[in-house]
Amino acid sequence: LFRSLACQALLPDAFAGMAEQTWPYEADDGDHFETSKEAYEDIAPLLAFAACQNAKARGEPEDSAKERLRVYDPYFCSGRARLLLGELGFPRVSHRRRDFYKDIEDNTVPKFDVLLTNPPYSG
């Protein structure tokens, strides 16, 4: 189990307590860096486009497509990805503190339309 100091340094005060949590997998301190809100803002139009394409393919209305898009970010630091994407109009974000590779092995990866992540940098 691991406690990330790098993650804590990047978080605003409202999230500081989250950084002291442990992870159910081996982690490297260099792996715990959050994606910035600006980066999510940059890709929001692409996510909106993907949402509209999904809606068209399913015969669903496009006006609420962003709210239905299922985004999966398997690499967790503080859980901030879910909050930031929600603020940008994408509320259906699966972003949990789990072992992504074990989930693949166990076939327990959640259903998603888009896998979006800032992967870890180590090994």
Side-chain angles (χ1 to χ4, degrees), residues 1-67:
L1 296 178
F2 178 80
R3 296 185 187 277
S4 174
L5 298 176
C7 188
Q8 185 174 10
L10 294 172
L11 297 174
D13 291 339
F15 294 96
M18 294 175 143
E20 296 178 12
Q21 297 179 24
T22 57
W23 286 264
Y25 45 83
E26 187 176 329
D28 183 290
D29 195 41
D31 290 344
H32 290 274
F33 293 94
E34 299 283 355
T35 301
S36 69
K37 183 173 186 178
E38 293 80 9
Y40 287 123
E41 289 169 343
D42 288 343
I43 61 163
L46 181 60
L47 290 174
F49 178 77
C52 286
Q53 293 301 305
N54 275 350
K56 283 180 188 178
R58 294 177 180 157
E60 300 172 346
E62 292 180 43
D63 59 342
S64 57
K66 283 175 54 173
E67 292 82 15

Side-chain angles (χ1 to χ4, degrees), residues 45-122:
L46 181 60
L47 290 174
F49 178 77
C52 286
Q53 293 301 305
N54 275 350
K56 283 180 188 178
R58 294 177 180 157
E60 300 172 346
E62 292 180 43
D63 59 342
S64 57
K66 283 175 54 173
E67 292 82 15
R68 290 190 313 275
L69 186 72
R70 297 172 300 179
V71 179
Y72 177 42
D73 183 346
Y75 296 107
F76 190 92
C77 187
S78 72
R80 190 169 176 241
R82 183 178 198 158
L83 172 75
L84 294 177
L85 287 166
E87 288 176 359
L88 294 172
F90 302 95
R92 295 186 68 188
V93 178
S94 180
H95 185 58
R96 305 169 297 168
R97 185 180 49 230
R98 296 178 50 92
D99 185 336
F100 175 51
Y101 302 105
K102 182 162 179 18
D103 285 348
I104 291 172
E105 182 180 306
D106 295 343
N107 199 28
T108 57
V109 173
K111 291 183 179 181
F112 62 89
D113 301 310
V114 174
L115 189 147
L116 173 70
T117 194
N118 183 355
Y121 295 99
S122 67

